[in-house]
Amino acid sequence: MKHIVTACTVAATLVTALPNPADAFTSRSGARVNPVNAAIFEVVPRNSGRTNDIWCAASEFARRQLGAGWKTRVYVARDRGPSVTTGRRTAVQFTIDPQAAGITPAEGGFFKSGFNVGDSMSVQQADGMCEPVPIRF
């Protein structure tokens, strides 16, 4: 009986440490977006992740889940690295509130190349990086 209680306790601990799948958002490109905390969300691409696909997913999440306007800026909070929400090898973290996330917006505040902490673009600019959805007849 003691072993069953211990196993249940360990299982409950593991389940509470993982994000709730209902909290996850899937973008058009198939990237998963998970909240890290109240200020930061993480884009986890399906594969190694093209820069455009990651920015696109960040834009979609900011607009659809956070209610951000088209002119709202999306900031890189952490560059490419291991996912803290899924354990996958590649993820990028973003925020729409740099002060709450504890980051300093980059000089000029605009996207340069790759994912540098503090770089940003508007939701509309990032949405422009999305691949058009094919129309099938």
Side-chain angles (χ1 to χ4, degrees), residues 7-19:
C8 289
T9 303
V10 169
T13 303
L14 289 173
V15 169
T16 57
L18 297 173

Side-chain angles (χ1 to χ4, degrees), residues 19-36 40-46 53-68 70 83 85-86 88 92 94 123 127 130:
N20 181 353
D23 293 340
F25 173 86
T26 302
S27 72
R28 292 180 257 188
S29 66
R32 300 287 291 184
V33 185
N34 299 310
V36 173
I40 297 174
F41 58 94
E42 179 175 73
V43 175
V44 184
R46 276 193 313 190
D53 292 341
I54 293 171
W55 275 107
C56 175
S59 166
E60 281 188 84
F61 183 82
R63 182 91 173 127
R64 294 182 182 177
Q65 298 297 116
L66 302 178
W70 288 112
S83 167
T85 61
T86 66
R88 292 202 46 162
V92 180
F94 294 91
V123 168
D127 184 72
C130 299

Side-chain angles (χ1 to χ4, degrees), residues 58-120:
S59 166
E60 281 188 84
F61 183 82
R63 182 91 173 127
R64 294 182 182 177
Q65 298 297 116
L66 302 178
W70 288 112
K71 294 183 180 182
T72 302
R73 297 206 69 78
V74 178
Y75 297 86
V76 176
R78 192 202 75 193
D79 60 357
R80 284 185 195 260
S83 167
V84 298
T85 61
T86 66
R88 292 202 46 162
R89 192 171 26 177
T90 302
V92 180
Q93 293 180 0
F94 294 91
T95 186
I96 59 172
D97 187 353
Q99 285 74 28
I103 64 166
T104 303
E107 189 67 32
F110 294 99
F111 167 73
K112 292 162 186 66
S113 64
F115 299 102
N116 300 305
V117 174
D119 282 356
S120 69

